[in-house]
Amino acid sequence: MMHVLKATALSEWRCAADRQRGQQWPLPCVPPLGFTTFGMSELDAWIAQLKRCETLTEAQVKALCGKALEILVEESNVQSVAAPVTICGDIHGQFPDLMELLRVGGDAPATSYLFMGDFVDRGFYSVETFLLLLALKVRYPDRVFLIRGNHESRQITQVYGFYDECMRKYGSVNVWRYCIDIFDYLSLAAVVDNSIFCVHGGLSPTVATLDQIRAIDRKQEVPHDGAMCDLLWSDPEDIEGWGLSPRGAGYLFGGDICSNFNEANKVDLVARAHQLVMEGYKWMFQDNLVTVWSAPNYCYRCGNIAAILELSDGLDKKFQTFDAAPQDDRGAPAKQPPADYFL
């Protein structure tokens, strides 16, 4: 018997919620996701199509996002993930490199994946990248986990490429709006086997425990400050205590802060992404924290390698590194590349 997936409407479309939060973007409201059904075979066909770097239709994106919403709304702010699992850092729309990552790490569902955000912006294929990961999440909800990065944001995607890409590929704002609504429902963090805390950016001076993260109302645009902002924007630094971040959001935090957080929450390691590291990964704070970066030759010019972190059943750690896909697979650069901020 064919399994049928239902994509139901949002209880209220997000335009009203945006107005309540004081968001003033001059963007038209799009219609609610509506009701539709699709089978597993159709979803598998969409995944195969996306793996060929072919976009879905707007109606298909609408249906996929509707089903994804039903799954994500049930997930905690701090998602519990069981090992073995492979942890991945930023992807940033570099679709050929995502395919290389899946080749190196193995396809889902044979490999369980935790992606730590920043799926979109800067790269040429943010649409295909995010929709493939979302389709894999819908197809294998207990084997693929997605947490939010600072680029999963209305404001950031209007500056660094995703909004423009959606407009260019679909001719309207609708697909962008479907996707950014999904961003609001992504988990903020994950814990692997109660031992490894995974987050996109870092720690916050207002967050001492995991329960405080669980209490955050995540279903909103990323705020400019506060705990949710800090988790997505902060960076580790060789300092004591807290420092001001040059990014203009989040904080810098030192090894003492990380050690105190790990001890208070009985975790052994903080795994995070968010910062380019030329070797693909970087240990800090006497191995209390590791940065994982999964976008090789970032922005098509940085020359870095990428890495993924494989965790075994017993939480043994193994890094797999990989280079960028061949230049011919990457497409042509945009005529007006997005402005730089701290890479």
Side-chain angles (χ1 to χ4, degrees):
M1 183 176 67
M2 181 181 73
H3 297 283
V4 175
L5 304 178
K6 295 181 180 179
T8 57
L10 290 170
S11 58
E12 289 186 23
W13 192 240
R14 298 299 303 281
C15 297
D18 287 351
R19 287 192 291 269
Q20 290 173 2
R21 296 186 187 108
Q23 296 164 357
Q24 300 297 325
W25 301 292
L27 299 169
C29 295
V30 294
L33 295 177
F35 178 85
T36 187
T37 62
F38 54 89
M40 287 291 186
S41 60
E42 189 171 2
L43 179 56
D44 287 338
W46 294 353
I47 290 172
Q49 181 176 333
L50 288 164
K51 284 185 174 181
R52 297 192 298 270
C53 202
E54 298 173 3
T55 56
L56 302 181
T57 67
E58 183 177 314
Q60 290 169 338
V61 175
K62 182 179 177 181
L64 177 62
C65 289
K67 181 57 188 177
L69 181 70
E70 293 182 358
I71 295 170
L72 295 172
V73 75
E74 299 298 327
E75 295 190 342
S76 168
N77 284 358
V78 183
Q79 187 71 358
S80 294
V81 178
V85 65
T86 296
I87 297 175
C88 309
D90 295 31
I91 305 297
H92 278 298
Q94 296 183 196
F95 183 86
D97 300 321
L98 172 60
M99 297 308 295
E100 180 68 8
L101 182 158
L102 295 174
R103 186 192 69 78
V104 171
D107 263 328
T111 299
S112 178
Y113 281 102
L114 168 58
F115 290 89
M116 297 190 294
D118 277 14
F119 316 113
V120 300
D121 286 339
R122 298 194 181 278
F124 303 142
Y125 304 102
S126 291
V127 169
E128 295 84 354
T129 295
F130 179 63
L131 292 181
L132 174 59
L133 293 175
L134 195 66
L136 291 172
K137 173 65 180 177
V138 171
R139 184 64 174 87
Y140 310 111
D142 298 323
R143 300 290 288 170
V144 176
F145 302 91
L146 309 176
I147 64 177
R148 192 173 189 173
N150 64 303
H151 276 261
E152 277 70 63
S153 155
R154 290 163 179 77
Q155 291 185 322
I156 297 296
T157 54
Q158 289 184 76
V159 177
Y160 293 102
F162 183 52
Y163 174 84
D164 291 334
E165 183 182 329
C166 290
M167 291 295 293
R168 185 172 67 252
K169 291 179 177 178
Y170 289 95
S172 80
V173 76
N174 291 358
V175 165
W176 178 77
R177 288 300 301 260
Y178 297 146
C179 291
I180 62 170
D181 270 299
I182 294 300
F183 294 166
D184 288 349
Y185 286 82
L186 295 173
S187 295
L188 302 179
V191 176
V192 179
D193 283 359
N194 298 314
S195 296
I196 299 177
F197 175 69
C198 302
V199 67
H200 178 72
L203 305 180
S204 170
T206 63
V207 171
T209 68
L210 298 181
D211 283 341
Q212 289 175 299
I213 302 175
R214 294 184 178 104
I216 295 171
D217 176 13
R218 77 175 190 266
K219 300 175 183 69
Q220 59 176 306
E221 169 67 349
V222 180
H224 295 293
D225 53 25
M228 181 171 165
C229 171
D230 298 341
L231 293 169
L232 275 55
W233 279 93
S234 292
D235 295 298
E237 186 59 82
D238 290 323
I239 60 174
E240 291 293 316
W242 299 97
L244 295 176
S245 173
R247 296 181 187 266
Y251 290 86
L252 302 177
F253 61 95
D256 56 331
I257 300 297
C258 185
S259 179
N260 291 341
F261 180 88
N262 289 1
E263 183 176 350
N265 293 284
K266 297 181 173 58
V267 297
D268 301 323
L269 176 68
V270 173
R272 43 91 65 177
H274 192 44
Q275 277 181 304
L276 169 66
V277 284
M278 297 301 292
E279 300 80 14
Y281 65 96
K282 180 181 179 181
W283 290 101
M284 292 184 70
F285 306 151
Q286 298 179 325
D287 294 351
N288 277 326
L289 178 145
V290 66
T291 297
V292 181
W293 184 264
S294 301
N297 193 31
Y298 180 43
C299 293
Y300 311 109
R301 58 187 169 88
C302 288
N304 61 287
I305 61 175
I308 53 179
L309 171 56
E310 297 178 345
L311 301 174
S312 70
D313 282 314
L315 296 181
D316 294 323
K317 303 169 188 66
K318 179 183 178 182
F319 290 95
Q320 296 271 19
T321 60
F322 58 98
D323 292 313
Q327 186 65 34
D328 289 346
D329 295 338
R330 290 178 166 272
K335 291 182 179 179
Q336 293 183 333
D340 287 334
Y341 73 97
F342 298 93
L343 294 176

